[in-house]
Amino acid sequence: MADTPNEISVRELRLALAGTLNNVTVRGRIIYVTNHGRRIAAIVPVPVAEQSEQMRG
């Protein structure tokens, strides 16, 4: 993975998608996807996403 355990580059994500999704699903981790060192997206566990949607109303 990239600089920190909770970040992965787009390139690395292409190679390690299954493992990354496992980290998110089983371990409840939030993983930030980076492009040229900049965070561009996050992969979050479903409960986190659902809670965010509920808070938005």
Side-chain angles (χ1 to χ4, degrees):
M1 286 199 186
D3 303 322
T4 61
N6 68 332
E7 291 186 349
I8 189 168
S9 71
V10 172
R11 177 181 284 182
E12 291 171 317
L13 181 59
R14 286 185 186 123
L15 298 173
L17 182 59
T20 301
L21 292 176
N22 187 56
N23 280 334
V24 171
T25 303
V26 174
R27 297 186 177 135
R29 298 185 64 202
I30 296 173
I31 305 291
Y32 294 97
V33 181
T34 63
N35 189 22
H36 299 289
R38 232 179 92 233
R39 288 181 176 178
I40 60 168
I43 304 171
V44 300
V46 169
V48 173
E50 289 173 342
Q51 182 180 24
S52 176
E53 287 178 341
Q54 288 176 354
M55 290 175 65
R56 286 183 172 177

